[in-house]
Amino acid sequence: MDFTAPLVRRLGRAAGARMLSARWAVVQTAVAVSASWFLTHDLLGHPQPFFAPIAAAVSLSASDVLRGQRAVQLMTGVALGIAIGTVVQAVAGTGALAFALAALVAMYAALAVGGGMFGQGLMFVNQTTASAVLILALHKPGSGTERLVDALIGGGVVVVIGVLLLPADPDRLLREATQRLFTGLRDALTDLAGQLAENRPRRTGDEPAAWELEVGQRIHGDLAALAQARKTARHVVFIAPRRRPRRDRVRRAAAQSERLTLQANAVLSLVRITGAALAAGEHLPPPFHDAVTALAEACGALAGVGGADSARAAADRALCLLEPLGDTAAGFGGAAIHAARAGARDLLAAVRPVEAGIRGR
């Protein structure tokens, strides 16, 4: 059987989905790059203002997450790096040891300053170090000042486009990150229901826990993306004038979405314990399989297929199936039933933040 064609189609669909989701961010970045070059080269007359469009491209990029923060990190890092590079050049010259000294001092200075918003990611550290090194590498009069002006113009264009004119939609960021998390939970529970139907755990080669590890990595990645979306949403409603009317609603939705960590951990516990029960040869009752299937349906509804009402009905159905089973069974069975019941209750609690996100559309 030829597996090449389905693989190519799947990769093509995934690439197309990524390109479609980032289309507006990419267009905005292209406009910002062009505007930055025009301002520095055509209006100010800088002969090679390469850093202005680079600053705009790096700050905006293909994502609308934390754009304003990246712009501030870049501009501040460039200013700090230029100051450090200038001092190192005056003291140690432009030899090989001076480059090492500039990088050492710049990194330590960035780490010392890099608390709060400057401590997120490596943008601030990288720009501080790169600017200090470039001052030594170019070592010509005015290069530091010109680079600083370029950085300020590139960053300023980012602020105008990404904060003032076209700020990210905080409701959409939270909604998409939440739906992505529930899609991963749905897929894990659907697969688990299939294993229960066959009464055997999923094995990958000689590693029975490989699938569980893959599920855990995916869900933890989705939780990290949700945390970043939550931070961006709070940041946007704080600094973007056009989004300030949504401030209270977004703050409530962001706070409620933090509960989804409990939901994700409940599903991971259910996957792990049920896998152990199946691997040990324990027989779990048929209602348990039906309850896991109902939990998968609830997560699918919260992922965007059916809505909050369908999710609530499916979670209630799962609880009704699980309540008569108790959780005192020997071996892993009792723990699996307890984990499934906890997952159903967490799903019911999760309906509220999802409903808040839906109302924000």
Side-chain angles (χ1 to χ4, degrees):
M1 182 180 296
D2 183 14
F3 295 99
T4 304
L7 176 62
V8 170
R9 285 195 296 269
R10 186 165 63 252
L11 293 175
R13 285 194 297 268
R18 290 192 298 270
M19 293 169 66
L20 183 64
S21 65
R23 62 191 184 280
W24 296 121
V26 171
V27 170
Q28 292 170 24
T29 301
V31 172
V33 166
S34 177
S36 299
W37 178 268
F38 174 78
L39 291 173
T40 52
H41 183 268
D42 296 352
L43 291 186
L44 296 182
H46 291 185
Q48 291 183 318
F50 63 91
F51 192 70
I54 290 177
V58 169
S59 297
L60 286 179
S61 189
S63 170
D64 53 6
V65 174
L66 298 177
R67 284 178 156 186
Q69 177 174 303
R70 289 199 298 268
V72 173
Q73 287 180 333
L74 184 144
M75 290 186 289
T76 308
V78 168
L80 178 60
I82 288 173
I84 292 172
T86 302
V87 172
V88 170
Q89 184 180 28
V91 173
T94 58
L97 292 179
F99 277 88
L101 180 62
L104 184 72
V105 173
M107 286 189 178
Y108 274 127
L111 291 171
V113 175
M117 68 178 298
F118 295 107
Q120 299 295 319
L122 295 175
M123 170 75 79
F124 182 61
V125 174
N126 290 344
Q127 290 302 325
T128 301
T129 307
S131 297
V133 169
L134 279 174
I135 290 297
L136 272 65
L138 297 177
H139 61 86
K140 63 179 182 179
S143 62
T145 302
E146 186 172 304
R147 177 174 166 81
L148 178 59
V149 171
D150 289 348
L152 292 175
I153 290 176
V157 170
V158 169
V159 171
V160 171
I161 292 179
V163 176
L164 299 179
L165 298 180
L166 300 170
D169 183 346
D171 294 307
R172 178 183 59 78
L173 290 173
L174 287 172
R175 183 172 63 250
E176 290 180 351
T178 299
Q179 290 175 338
R180 186 163 51 249
L181 172 63
F182 276 112
T183 298
L185 298 177
R186 177 202 64 194
D187 293 346
L189 289 169
T190 300
D191 205 333
L192 184 63
Q195 296 174 44
L196 287 167
E198 298 176 359
N199 198 33
R200 62 180 182 180
R202 165 82 74 85
R203 297 183 68 93
T204 302
D206 295 328
E207 290 292 335
W211 172 75
E212 297 167 11
L213 180 61
E214 179 183 341
V215 168
Q217 289 172 338
R218 176 181 177 181
I219 291 176
H220 282 299
D222 291 338
L223 283 172
L226 177 59
Q228 192 173 55
R230 189 161 52 235
K231 178 172 182 171
T232 302
R234 288 169 171 159
H235 185 69
V236 167
V237 296
F238 179 75
I239 67 170
R242 291 184 58 195
R243 304 304 189 201
R244 283 177 186 166
R246 306 188 195 181
R247 184 179 300 178
D248 292 338
R249 185 180 72 222
V250 168
R251 284 177 175 172
R252 287 194 300 270
Q256 289 170 333
S257 73
E258 293 176 351
R259 290 185 56 86
L260 298 182
T261 301
L262 297 176
Q263 170 62 42
N265 287 331
V267 171
L268 289 175
S269 296
L270 176 59
V271 165
R272 192 76 175 103
I273 297 170
T274 304
L278 293 173
E282 297 183 17
H283 179 72
L284 295 165
F288 182 78
H289 166 268
D290 297 337
V292 172
T293 301
L295 292 176
E297 293 175 3
C299 288
L302 294 178
V305 183
D309 290 338
S310 299
R312 186 185 295 107
D316 281 332
R317 187 166 71 253
L319 272 180
C320 290
L321 290 166
L322 292 166
E323 287 299 341
L325 300 181
D327 53 8
T328 59
F332 294 103
I337 292 169
H338 178 76
R341 192 179 294 121
R345 289 170 178 157
D346 287 334
L347 266 172
L348 289 172
V351 170
R352 281 184 57 198
V354 173
E355 286 179 320
I358 292 173
R359 286 195 298 268
R361 294 185 187 185

